[in-house]
Amino acid sequence: MKTDLTPELAATIEEAFAKRDRANMGPTIAFFEKLLTEHPDNPHVLYEVGGSYDTAGEEEKAVGYYERALPGLTGETRRKCLLQYGSTLRNLGRFDESLAVFKDACAEYPDSDSLRVFKSLTLHAAGKNDKALATLLLVIADKVDSAEIKRYEAAIRGNADYLANLS
């Protein structure tokens, strides 16, 4: 069983992804399900099937595909899958699992701003509003390159630290 991403498979996935209609994911799901029969257990195809179900609002189905895909993924595709998996767990109300995914993902990809932003959404959904805001403040301090933000960077970081350490 081939589980790598050949240039041909990558092109097929990219073409299908470009054609998707977020308002009608049925054809995209059908396409990726068929592609999975041609490439059984390919982590890249599993990820795309999961993402298609996720976009269609079928999070319960998406979770299993993400879980099957993750062990075989690396690099940017793994980072995206972890983000989508953690976000899907949040949408299902599985906050502790989502936070665990984001904690590990942020450790694995410490420069990923999107992981930190989606982690903050899970923190907020879990009722950890202070930690959610602290996470976003750090993204702002790290990434917003404006004279105003830079002027108050120490204060922003200080407030983030304070909020992160509340209860």
Side-chain angles (χ1 to χ4, degrees):
M1 232 176 295
K2 288 208 139 249
T3 60
D4 57 338
L5 184 62
T6 64
E8 297 80 19
L9 182 56
T12 300
I13 288 171
E14 187 59 37
E15 183 179 328
F17 188 80
K19 290 180 182 177
R20 77 180 177 156
D21 176 1
R22 288 169 92 54
N24 179 16
M25 289 298 293
T28 302
I29 291 169
F31 177 85
F32 283 121
E33 286 278 13
K34 181 178 181 301
L35 192 62
L36 187 59
T37 65
E38 298 166 14
H39 301 272
D41 296 319
N42 183 294
H44 299 277
V45 180
L46 287 164
Y47 163 62
E48 295 297 343
V49 174
S52 297
Y53 279 116
D54 203 356
T55 301
E58 297 183 51
E59 289 93 349
E60 287 287 352
K61 285 186 180 179
V63 166
Y65 288 102
Y66 290 150
E67 289 172 347
R68 287 174 54 202
L70 277 166
L73 297 175
T74 60
E76 183 66 8
T77 305
R78 180 174 170 77
R79 185 199 60 77
K80 290 189 291 188
C81 189
L82 285 165
L83 186 148
Q84 290 170 221
Y85 177 49
S87 182
T88 298
L89 291 170
R90 179 193 74 241
N91 289 338
L92 292 171
R94 294 164 59 179
F95 304 132
D96 290 342
E97 292 170 79
S98 177
L99 285 172
V101 167
F102 282 119
K103 179 183 177 195
D104 292 345
C106 287
E108 189 172 340
Y109 299 95
D111 296 329
S112 175
D113 301 325
S114 59
L115 283 170
R116 294 192 296 165
V117 168
F118 277 81
K119 177 183 177 184
S120 75
L121 290 170
T122 297
L123 288 164
H124 180 268
K128 299 177 181 190
N129 298 329
D130 295 330
K131 289 179 181 13
L133 180 56
T135 300
L136 288 178
L137 285 172
L138 290 175
V139 171
I140 291 168
D142 289 346
K143 297 299 178 172
V144 176
D145 188 18
S146 76
E148 287 182 73
I149 295 296
K150 294 303 177 199
R151 175 182 172 95
Y152 297 104
E153 182 179 353
I156 293 169
R157 290 185 186 283
N159 278 286
D161 186 56
Y162 171 77
L163 290 168
N165 290 302
L166 288 177
S167 53

